[in-house]
Amino acid sequence: MTTPLMRLGLFLQGAGHHVAGWRHPEADSGGENVGLIQRVAATAEAGKFDLLFLADGLTTGADAHPSAMARIEPLSLLSALSMTTKHIGLAATASTTYGEPFSTARVFASLDHLSGGRAGWNAVTTSYSRSAANFTRGEHPAHDERYAIAEEFIDVVRGLWDSFADDAFIKDKASGHYIRPDSIHTLDHKGHYFSVKGPLNVSRSPQGHPVIIQAGSSAPGQRLAARTADMVFTAQQTLEEGRAFTQGLKRQVREAGRNPDHLLVLPGVCPVVGATEAEARSLYAELQGGIDPAAATRLLSDRLGHDISGFDLDGPLPDLPESDQLQSRAKLLTDLARTQKLTLRELYYLVAGARGHRIVWGTPEQIADALESWFRAEACDGFNIMPPFFPTQFERFVEDVLPVLRRRGLARTDYDGPTLRENLGLPRPANRFFSEQAA
Amino acid sequence: MTTPLMRLGLFLQGAGHHVAGWRHPEADSGGENVGLIQRVAATAEAGKFDLLFLADGLTTGADAHPSAMARIEPLSLLSALSMTTKHIGLAATASTTYGEPFSTARVFASLDHLSGGRAGWNAVTTSYSRSAANFTRGEHPAHDERYAIAEEFIDVVRGLWDSFADDAFIKDKASGHYIRPDSIHTLDHKGHYFSVKGPLNVSRSPQGHPVIIQAGSSAPGQRLAARTADMVFTAQQTLEEGRAFTQGLKRQVREAGRNPDHLLVLPGVCPVVGATEAEARSLYAELQGGIDPAAATRLLSDRLGHDISGFDLDGPLPDLPESDQLQSRAKLLTDLARTQKLTLRELYYLVAGARGHRIVWGTPEQIADALESWFRAEACDGFNIMPPFFPTQFERFVEDVLPVLRRRGLARTDYDGPTLRENLGLPRPANRFFSEQAA
């Protein structure tokens, strides 16, 4: 058996992942900087990355992370990039709390058509309660209810994606049949949260279903992922945590009757690349030095779900009640602070770097080592790469780190097929309403 | 004073506008046929069309018009086309009844960024009551309420588009200010239908506001357009009706305190082009001969809002109560049937051709004459061209009809500027919350 390849996503954020990354002299930035984004996407494709990954948020303000302050809406951006790329997967975040299943099914199926089968949907429940105020909602649903909504939402979307048989559109000019009779299914979903009649007005797309990604690590989040996700994006900091999470989740996938190889776990990691260890350390220090303490404190408060601005930055993390917002991400941070005895300042440096994701700095060999150790220990199936700033830090990853991983047989040298599912080794889902045609 | 130029939109529908157009030997078709759509968009840009125009619908079924049966979601498609075109405007339909103002503001501002200022939004209230069943809604709002919702919806969207000062993003690396202080405005809208706090998480886009298009011709539709629209897409059949409508609407624009030149009226027209009159007549007959009578009867029932399948096709239009769905379009058809004494069959041929829009068939000169007469009579500011099928019928329009219009000084020979507003002669709206910077 050959070693599987490390799956690689590029987590694309216009101002970089480090909160002060955009200030670096080499940095170009902007969530609406189309030229920069096209350049970065082309670099990722040249590096044979499996996918581009876009986050999303439904609020902004002067306090927001520069990458989240203003940005092109993710589906619009990926639809554009579907024309400027040929092979790389295109995955975007969309909320199950502030969306409509019919509309979400439409846009992702559309992206799959536009891209020839490269679409992925990161289904999130939207953590921040302030989002409600932009959508004429009085209340943001509580954590567990958001997951109950998400479960039904995803189920409806997948049903809508199966509205047409794969070979429905025969366009027979002689008979006048544009569509083959009896090749449309009306879903007629009537559930607890949604009533959606269907059919969807997009035909079945090249992948059958776009790849489904999730990011929740709470117990309800894991249950949902085990049942429905093709990929999980996560945020463990240590190899032991990573392995416990990944192996625990794969166990749940097996218990749900699925093949554990068909759920891929990709932790986020922020690589700070230098030609020498000294250069990398100095770059990392330079980035940390650029942080505005007030901004970092707000960012950490945001990630913890509690205002920590009144506490001593050089003291330990105070006891905080559980937040309903970012339950799993807040818990990862809190656990880390306890086990590693971090001060609030150390914690805020972590969050400022990559919003709580793992940061690795060093030479290309050292970064390759850091990735390989997790991968060999089965703590993950690959990584979602979160460069501190664009474009040069990402270019160094592609030009200097990837060749090391390739020499070790860990990173792909070319794409396997035209679709994201093929490149990820994931099966094309059967249509629940129409059987496959005989070949 | 020079004669103004005829404004030209291409109403792009994957299977053509004639219900049987896709059956023609030369026709290629498909609402998800990306190659065809790119080719057609390139032809329109080569012809210096002002804009591409996409309709939308929120339901489908085996009975739907082939162009509406399955299609790429319009905003996704235009985002893709923003990368494969450089000058042409990109306008898509989006519903104010089944959308969220925050999401709609986001996607159109995003398209404006992606395209460098070429976005347009055709704001529709969604005619068909069956749409409600796809969006967990018990009831489709009645006609007048839909317009009240639309008015507030558009107002919120325009407010959100002004969330940032035009020069907000200074990205000052030295000071660490990514954004200029005090350059974000929180809308805090609390209205009858919507509560939307804002700010929008997209910066002010190149056009300030994407071009706003409307298609309603009812009294509430006209009032809304007079106050808020930059362009109105309409469906009159005769020059007299067209002039009455256009001049009446421009009067309302003037009464609303706006410049009537800043609301452009574009009737839809379906040109059937032949090298000779005989060829054009024969092509038109061939198209009409390809119609499935059951499909055409359904289409006409749909446009009238009443099932007419039980009536004698060779008798007159029966008396029908007013429909709440497509009020203004149904009225145009009904009036036409009465004044022209059309049989139901004649009416269904009209609707099968271009869903009730004017059909002109003839030589390039004859088609140019038919367009020029309306334009010179100030019955319109230009046309939304609805080819019976793609790509060849549209290519004949561009290659054969446009040169005639150009020789007569009626059609543009090149684009005026990078944005759709510049090409249409429309001003860039001021930001309601931030004054323009001193130059």
Side-chain angles (χ1 to χ4, degrees):
Chain A
M1 196 184 123
T2 56
T3 311
L5 293 171
M6 208 179 256
R7 308 301 174 185
L8 289 176
L10 168 64
F11 190 159
L12 180 50
Q13 292 212 138
H17 287 276
H18 192 286
V19 73
W22 67 273
R23 299 182 67 181
H24 190 276
E26 289 177 6
D28 190 10
S29 65
E32 296 151 345
N33 186 338
V34 183
L36 170 68
I37 292 167
Q38 281 186 309
R39 173 175 167 180
V40 168
T43 303
E45 187 163 81
K48 317 295 180 196
F49 269 62
D50 290 283
L51 71 157
L52 299 174
F53 178 93
L54 297 184
D56 194 27
L58 302 173
T59 61
T60 190
D63 293 356
H65 189 291
S67 278
M69 204 175 276
R71 54 181 151 189
I72 294 173
E73 186 276 325
L75 264 290
S76 307
L77 181 55
L78 292 187
S79 296
L81 293 177
S82 75
M83 296 290 112
T84 69
T85 58
K86 279 198 163 62
H87 304 287
I88 196 165
L90 303 168
T93 299
S95 171
T96 54
T97 303
Y98 295 101
E100 286 281 351
F102 191 85
S103 304
T104 301
R106 271 189 98 186
V107 290
F108 282 96
S110 294
L111 179 61
D112 211 42
H113 279 289
L114 284 168
S115 62
R118 297 186 280 135
W121 170 31
N122 180 35
V124 303
T125 69
T126 302
S127 304
Y128 296 111
S129 59
R130 58 181 178 269
S131 308
N134 285 334
F135 293 88
T136 314
R137 311 273 183 96
E139 292 260 318
H140 183 62
H143 184 273
D144 285 6
E145 182 164 35
R146 293 204 306 276
Y147 276 89
I149 295 169
E151 182 135 13
E152 189 179 331
F153 192 112
I154 293 170
D155 193 50
V156 175
V157 166
R158 303 212 307 182
L160 288 171
W161 283 336
D162 289 346
S163 292
F164 291 89
D166 280 300
D167 62 343
F169 287 88
I170 50 174
K171 302 187 211 166
D172 182 351
K173 292 184 180 187
S175 73
H177 283 128
Y178 194 76
I179 186 167
R180 189 166 55 77
D182 303 320
S183 59
I184 309 188
H185 180 87
T186 300
L187 185 65
D188 254 331
H189 174 87
K190 287 194 180 66
H192 187 71
Y193 297 105
F194 301 106
S195 294
V196 182
K197 188 168 168 62
L200 188 67
N201 54 356
V202 185
S203 75
R204 201 156 196 263
S205 71
Q207 294 187 103
H209 296 180
V211 169
I212 293 184
I213 307 173
Q214 282 161 40
S217 300
S218 67
Q222 290 190 45
R223 275 198 303 274
L224 181 62
R227 201 174 79 78
T228 65
D230 299 303
M231 181 181 281
V232 165
F233 173 48
T234 182
Q236 282 74 34
Q237 283 280 343
T238 66
L239 191 151
E240 294 68 33
E241 282 174 330
R243 186 156 51 190
F245 176 82
T246 297
Q247 295 307 318
L249 184 56
K250 299 233 175 195
R251 204 174 309 119
Q252 293 181 63
V253 173
R254 215 175 284 114
E255 286 162 10
R258 297 175 60 207
N259 181 341
D261 292 344
H262 295 165
L263 186 147
L264 305 169
V265 181
L266 272 70
V269 60
C270 175
V272 180
V273 190
T276 62
E277 189 175 328
E279 186 192 313
R281 183 191 298 115
S282 148
L283 172 57
Y284 184 56
E286 189 182 349
L287 288 168
Q288 299 297 59
I291 297 172
D292 168 18
T297 304
R298 279 195 307 263
L299 206 59
L300 180 57
S301 299
D302 218 50
R303 299 304 282 184
L304 291 170
H306 291 281
D307 183 4
I308 52 109
S309 59
F311 296 98
D312 176 12
L313 277 182
D314 296 307
L317 178 69
D319 282 323
L320 300 170
E322 187 176 84
S323 158
D324 190 65
Q325 294 201 151
L326 272 158
Q327 214 174 80
S328 59
R329 290 287 192 272
K331 187 171 181 313
L332 281 175
L333 276 179
T334 311
D335 290 352
L336 188 77
R338 302 271 180 259
T339 56
Q340 315 257 315
K341 301 194 197 316
L342 301 181
T343 64
L344 268 181
R345 189 183 306 276
E346 288 165 322
L347 206 57
Y348 105 177
Y349 275 134
L350 256 180
V351 167
R355 295 188 315 290
H357 290 85
R358 182 177 166 220
I359 301 168
V360 293
W361 54 267
T363 64
E365 289 282 341
Q366 289 172 324
I367 289 172
D369 291 347
L371 302 183
E372 180 172 4
S373 63
W374 279 49
F375 185 68
R376 297 259 183 222
E378 300 186 346
C380 64
D381 296 292
F383 300 93
N384 209 3
I385 301 298
M386 304 170 67
F389 60 84
F390 290 101
T392 54
Q393 268 292 299
F394 179 55
E395 287 163 359
R396 294 190 76 166
F397 183 86
V398 169
E399 287 160 21
D400 300 337
V401 181
L402 273 185
V404 181
L405 292 172
R406 285 210 185 95
R407 277 200 300 275
R408 298 179 188 180
L410 294 170
R412 74 161 72 248
T413 52
D414 206 353
Y415 290 101
D416 295 318
T419 73
L420 177 57
R421 285 189 177 275
E422 284 168 279
N423 286 312
L424 293 175
L426 299 172
R428 186 176 192 270
N431 191 318
R432 69 169 92 160
F433 306 119
F434 299 96
S435 55
E436 294 291 317
Q437 280 213 287
Chain B
M1 194 185 126
T2 56
T3 312
L5 293 172
M6 206 179 260
R7 308 301 173 185
L8 289 176
L10 168 64
F11 190 157
L12 181 50
Q13 292 213 137
H17 287 276
H18 192 288
V19 72
W22 65 274
R23 297 182 67 182
H24 191 274
E26 287 177 7
D28 189 11
S29 66
E32 298 151 344
N33 186 339
V34 182
L36 170 68
I37 293 166
Q38 281 186 310
R39 174 175 167 179
V40 168
T43 303
E45 188 163 82
K48 318 296 179 195
F49 269 62
D50 291 282
L51 71 156
L52 298 174
F53 178 92
L54 297 184
D56 195 26
L58 302 173
T59 60
T60 190
D63 293 355
H65 189 291
S67 278
M69 205 175 276
R71 53 181 153 192
I72 294 172
E73 187 276 327
L75 265 291
S76 307
L77 181 56
L78 292 187
S79 297
L81 293 177
S82 76
M83 296 290 111
T84 68
T85 58
K86 280 198 161 65
H87 305 286
I88 196 166
L90 303 168
T93 299
S95 171
T96 54
T97 303
Y98 295 100
E100 287 281 349
F102 191 86
S103 303
T104 301
R106 272 188 97 187
V107 290
F108 282 96
S110 293
L111 179 62
D112 211 41
H113 279 289
L114 283 169
S115 63
R118 299 185 279 135
W121 170 31
N122 180 34
V124 303
T125 69
T126 302
S127 305
Y128 296 111
S129 59
R130 57 182 179 268
S131 308
N134 285 334
F135 293 88
T136 315
R137 311 271 184 98
E139 291 261 317
H140 183 63
H143 184 273
D144 285 5
E145 182 164 35
R146 292 204 305 275
Y147 275 89
I149 295 170
E151 181 134 13
E152 188 179 330
F153 191 113
I154 293 169
D155 193 51
V156 175
V157 166
R158 303 212 306 183
L160 289 171
W161 282 338
D162 290 346
S163 292
F164 291 88
D166 278 302
D167 62 343
F169 288 87
I170 51 174
K171 301 186 212 167
D172 182 350
K173 292 183 179 186
S175 73
H177 283 127
Y178 193 76
I179 186 167
R180 189 166 55 76
D182 302 320
S183 60
I184 310 189
H185 179 87
T186 300
L187 185 65
D188 255 331
H189 173 86
K190 287 194 181 66
H192 187 72
Y193 298 105
F194 301 106
S195 296
V196 182
K197 189 169 167 63
L200 189 66
N201 55 356
V202 185
S203 74
R204 201 156 196 266
S205 70
Q207 294 187 104
H209 296 179
V211 169
I212 293 184
I213 307 171
Q214 281 160 42
S217 300
S218 67
Q222 290 190 46
R223 275 197 302 275
L224 181 63
R227 201 175 78 80
T228 64
D230 300 303
M231 181 181 283
V232 165
F233 172 49
T234 182
Q236 281 74 34
Q237 283 278 344
T238 66
L239 192 151
E240 294 67 34
E241 283 175 332
R243 185 157 53 190
F245 176 81
T246 297
Q247 295 307 317
L249 184 56
K250 299 232 173 193
R251 204 174 311 120
Q252 293 182 63
V253 172
R254 213 175 286 114
E255 286 161 11
R258 296 174 60 206
N259 180 340
D261 293 342
H262 294 165
L263 185 145
L264 305 169
V265 180
L266 273 69
V269 61
C270 175
V272 180
V273 191
T276 61
E277 191 176 328
E279 185 192 315
R281 183 190 299 117
S282 149
L283 172 58
Y284 183 55
E286 187 183 349
L287 289 168
Q288 298 298 60
I291 298 172
D292 168 19
T297 304
R298 280 194 306 263
L299 206 60
L300 178 57
S301 298
D302 218 51
R303 298 304 281 186
L304 291 170
H306 290 283
D307 183 4
I308 50 109
S309 59
F311 295 97
D312 175 12
L313 278 182
D314 295 307
L317 179 68
D319 282 324
L320 300 169
E322 188 175 82
S323 160
D324 191 66
Q325 295 199 155
L326 272 158
Q327 214 174 81
S328 58
R329 290 288 191 271
K331 188 172 180 315
L332 281 175
L333 277 179
T334 310
D335 290 353
L336 188 76
R338 302 269 179 261
T339 56
Q340 315 258 314
K341 302 196 197 315
L342 301 181
T343 63
L344 269 181
R345 191 185 304 277
E346 288 166 323
L347 206 56
Y348 105 176
Y349 276 134
L350 255 179
V351 166
R355 298 188 313 290
H357 289 86
R358 182 177 165 221
I359 302 168
V360 292
W361 54 268
T363 63
E365 290 282 340
Q366 289 173 323
I367 289 173
D369 290 347
L371 302 183
E372 180 171 3
S373 62
W374 280 49
F375 185 68
R376 297 261 183 222
E378 300 187 347
C380 64
D381 297 291
F383 299 93
N384 209 3
I385 301 297
M386 305 170 67
F389 60 84
F390 290 102
T392 53
Q393 268 292 300
F394 180 54
E395 287 163 0
R396 294 189 78 165
F397 183 87
V398 170
E399 288 161 21
D400 301 335
V401 181
L402 273 184
V404 181
L405 293 172
R406 286 210 185 94
R407 277 199 302 274
R408 299 180 187 178
L410 294 170
R412 71 162 73 249
T413 53
D414 206 353
Y415 290 101
D416 295 319
T419 73
L420 178 57
R421 284 189 177 276
E422 284 167 279
N423 286 312
L424 294 175
L426 299 172
R428 186 176 191 273
N431 191 318
R432 70 168 91 161
F433 306 119
F434 299 96
S435 55
E436 294 291 318
Q437 281 213 288

